Amino acid sequence: MPYNKVTDKIITELESIVGVENVVTDQEKLEIYGGDEVPEAEWKHPPEVVVKPRNAREVSEVIKLANRELIPVTPRGAGTGLAAGAVPMLGGIVLTVENMNRILEIDKQNLFMVLEPGVTTGEVQKHAREEGFFYAGDPCSAESSFIGGNVATNAGGNKAVKYGTTSRYVYGLEVVLPTGEITTLGGKCVKDVTGYDLVHLMVGSEGTLGVITKIYLKLLPLPSYNAVLLVPFTDMRTAINIVPLIMTNGGIIPTSIEFMDNTCIRSAEEYLNRKLPFGDAGAYIIIEVEAYTESQLESDYETIGNICLENGGLEVFVGDNKSSQEKIWKARRYLAESLRVTSPVYCMEDIVVPVSGIPAVLEDIDNIAGKYNIKIANFGHAGDGNIHATLLKESMPDDTWYEVKEKVLEEVYASTHAHGGKLSGEHGIGAKRVKAMAKYLDPVQMQVIAAIKKALDPNLVLNPDKLVNVD
Ligand SMILES: Cc1cc2nc3c(=O)[nH]c(=O)nc-3n(C[C@H](O)[C@H](O)[C@H](O)COP(=O)(O)OP(=O)(O)OC[C@H]3O[C@@H](n4cnc5c(N)ncnc54)[C@H](O)[C@@H]3O)c2cc1C
């Protein structure tokens, strides 16, 4: 699709819509909006202009202008994405929701938070807690990602094994469609089959079907007690085998079951500058349990601890207070940062397989790493089969890196597919995985996705060439 350039006249018009102070044209500042957390240069591209609307009406006017002038618009949250979804690969306008950051309502009778998309996830969690409630979404990026970005990517995270992903808590959305109309989908009703489920069509649509300007988020009662267990194992297969046992033999669904391999353990030790227990273990499993009574909590973590010890766990370390829990979680939560110290350039993947398939896929990944002589660190959400295989460039020359990375990804995706898995469990497709998705998703589904995109965005102005390429 041939798009037009942003002219001085268009910039003046944008200034009259959102205010001069909310339009960025300074080249240095534009660079900041030209990337997300994908570290590789090929997934960076600056926009021609950034706009920071304050409400849905301003978003709508910007999008109508973009349709009239045929200019691509890339919605942006906090830019913590790991798929280059918020990167304006074709230039044009970046529309950031950073000025739309108000919590509008806590509805204590219906247990809802109504808020704008630019509130950080951490603020959502904190605010809910202060009001005596619980927001169950918990991506590792919670301190910096926006709730709008979480909705747009259907973010998962540490608590998905028990509480599911962001979509489970989204009951309503105000959205500006790619042609500029403003509409509210769903709301506070717990049941709603009045037409297609358009709320959940928008959730995970990665800014390709609409700009989310208001969110109706379901809250839960706050669980009062929690404990975190760290269990080292000699090898990954033994470690992963305990996941179904906790649920079947133990009858418990933990809040989190995370895993990290030895490369990750070593990297965390280096980043945190402290020795971790059983630092030469083949794998760590981190388990969090929550309960509404102290006795239930103790009984649950004792059951889980015993299952681990009876099935190859080398030791069970229990964090039953804030500081010991934080010590355990830090090793896992800061893994992206740790790996960045080990290798500033890396490629973090997000494959997902049925839980029982994790060991086989990890064995394939080990073999692929050996074949191409590259280090691949593996960690992720064991409870939901989500593996963040992370290719480390280390000192590999640039040319070799690009060539090797492509071949490795090809084989990793093929193994994932062969084990009944998918390319992305939570980070999304963005710009980074468009070609791979077209290769591995059923062509019938690709046609449906393209038809939906064309129907809602006939001029293809909203985040074009992300998730799906449509001509
Ligand atoms: C250290 C680290 C840990 C992470 N851990 C997790 C994790 O545990 N689980 C997980 O799922 N992800 C994780 N991520 C990835 C990332 O944080 C999530 O994808 C997050 O949801 C992105 O939110 P954001 O506000 O930064 O969105 P952005 O990166 O700005 O945008 C992401 C996508 O959403 C679209 N978008 C953003 N806001 C809107 C809006 N208001 N309307 C329409 N479209 C919009 C963009 O166009 C883009 O396609 C992690 C990232 C890092 C760096």
Side-chain angles (χ1 to χ4, degrees):
M1 170 71 82
Y3 293 100
N4 294 318
K5 290 277 165 207
V6 176
T7 60
D8 288 347
K9 187 168 159 285
I10 289 171
I11 287 176
T12 307
E13 209 176 324
L14 289 169
E15 287 172 347
S16 73
I17 296 172
V18 298
V20 181
E21 69 283 13
N22 291 316
V23 174
V24 179
T25 51
D26 174 81
Q27 200 54 42
E28 223 169 277
K29 290 189 183 143
L30 290 180
E31 296 291 334
I32 299 168
Y33 291 91
D36 62 3
E37 287 291 330
V38 177
E40 301 146 282
E42 67 184 299
W43 303 116
K44 308 278 175 205
H45 193 289
E48 292 160 68
V49 61
V50 174
V51 294
K52 305 179 181 183
R54 293 158 292 193
N55 52 52
R57 185 188 51 76
E58 291 181 0
V59 173
S60 160
E61 286 186 37
V62 170
I63 290 185
K64 283 183 179 162
L65 180 154
N67 273 276
R68 192 191 73 211
E69 300 290 341
L70 268 189
I71 292 173
V73 180
T74 307
R76 183 178 176 95
T80 68
L82 289 166
V87 181
M89 297 303 290
L90 303 172
I93 302 169
V94 158
L95 186 157
T96 163
V97 297
E98 64 196 58
N99 277 344
M100 300 174 68
N101 56 7
R102 292 173 307 155
I103 294 178
L104 303 171
E105 184 192 0
I106 300 277
D107 179 343
K108 293 190 174 185
Q109 279 191 314
N110 293 303
L111 271 73
F112 274 101
M113 186 185 288
V114 183
L115 73 170
E116 293 181 329
V119 180
T120 64
T121 321
E123 271 300 309
V124 177
Q125 295 168 332
K126 183 167 157 273
H127 207 78
R129 212 177 308 120
E130 282 167 1
E131 298 285 339
F133 297 111
F134 173 55
Y135 171 59
D138 189 28
C140 286
S141 52
E143 286 310 311
S144 44
S145 66
F146 289 171
I147 191 69
N150 292 176
V151 175
T153 56
N154 189 13
N158 301 323
K159 295 184 171 149
V161 60
K162 177 165 185 175
Y163 293 106
T165 57
T166 305
S167 73
R168 197 188 283 183
Y169 303 94
V170 181
Y171 282 61
L173 291 174
E174 178 188 75
V175 177
V176 180
L177 296 176
T179 36
E181 296 90 347
I182 304 172
T183 185
T184 297
L185 311 168
K188 291 183 185 173
C189 292
V190 173
K191 286 177 169 178
D192 179 359
V193 290
T194 319
Y196 290 148
D197 187 354
L198 298 180
V199 174
H200 293 105
L201 175 64
M202 287 294 162
V203 178
S205 65
E206 302 189 35
T208 63
L209 299 181
V211 178
I212 296 155
T213 49
K214 194 192 284 181
I215 302 156
Y216 295 77
L217 213 54
K218 191 84 181 114
L219 302 176
L220 299 175
L222 189 64
S224 319
Y225 301 94
N226 75 320
V228 180
L229 277 59
L230 170 68
V231 190
F233 288 84
T234 47
D235 63 278
M236 189 61 78
R237 188 172 278 276
T238 314
I240 299 297
N241 279 345
I242 63 124
V243 177
L245 294 180
I246 293 172
M247 301 186 208
T248 52
N249 297 9
I252 300 163
I253 299 193
T255 312
S256 314
I257 315 179
E258 302 285 304
F259 76 95
M260 44 201 276
D261 71 4
N262 186 260
T263 304
C264 293
I265 297 170
R266 294 295 186 204
S267 180
E269 281 187 320
E270 208 177 300
Y271 182 75
L272 300 172
N273 198 19
R274 65 177 158 93
K275 283 264 161 242
L276 295 172
F278 291 85
D280 53 357
Y284 272 1
I285 293 282
I286 296 172
I287 303 159
E288 178 158 352
V289 273
E290 286 172 343
Y292 289 94
T293 64
E294 204 167 357
S295 57
Q296 182 66 53
L297 180 78
E298 281 176 12
S299 150
D300 282 359
Y301 76 65
E302 272 172 23
T303 305
I304 293 173
N306 287 335
I307 289 175
C308 290
L309 291 174
E310 284 158 14
N311 291 281
L314 299 173
E315 183 67 83
V316 176
F317 299 94
V318 180
D320 55 4
N321 60 56
K322 273 256 157 302
S323 90
S324 55
Q325 291 175 6
E326 195 44 36
K327 239 178 157 177
I328 295 176
W329 266 122
K330 254 189 174 167
R332 163 66 185 91
R333 203 170 278 135
Y334 290 103
L335 264 182
E337 289 83 347
S338 314
L339 291 170
R340 185 168 294 170
V341 172
T342 309
S343 172
V345 176
Y346 61 73
C347 172
M348 187 187 291
E349 288 304 305
D350 180 38
I351 53 175
V352 60
V353 290
V355 174
S356 61
I358 298 180
V361 170
L362 288 179
E363 272 165 30
D364 281 357
I365 292 176
D366 263 358
N367 292 334
I368 296 165
K371 179 173 166 190
Y372 292 101
N373 198 19
I374 181 175
K375 201 185 269 178
I376 304 181
N378 292 294
F379 65 99
H381 313 289
D384 28 68
N386 195 187
I387 306 170
H388 297 318
T390 305
L391 287 57
L392 305 178
K393 177 175 181 284
E394 298 185 301
S395 58
M396 199 183 278
D398 285 354
D399 290 356
T400 321
W401 162 248
Y402 284 113
E403 205 177 302
V404 166
K405 187 185 67 165
E406 289 307 310
K407 288 183 180 154
V408 168
L409 289 184
E410 184 74 42
E411 294 196 24
V412 169
Y413 292 156
S415 160
T416 306
H417 189 66
H419 288 94
K422 302 278 180 175
L423 301 188
S424 178
E426 54 181 24
H427 298 161
I429 301 303
K432 199 180 154 185
R433 302 187 181 92
V434 172
K435 275 196 206 141
M437 181 170 106
K439 179 166 176 191
Y440 287 106
L441 201 68
D442 172 7
V444 177
Q445 286 174 45
M446 286 304 299
Q447 280 168 22
V448 173
I449 289 172
I452 292 171
K453 173 67 178 166
K454 272 192 211 160
L456 291 191
D457 188 5
N459 293 321
L460 301 178
V461 293
L462 198 64
N463 222 357
D465 292 354
K466 303 290 170 55
L467 205 139
V468 62
N469 270 326
V470 180
D471 297 322

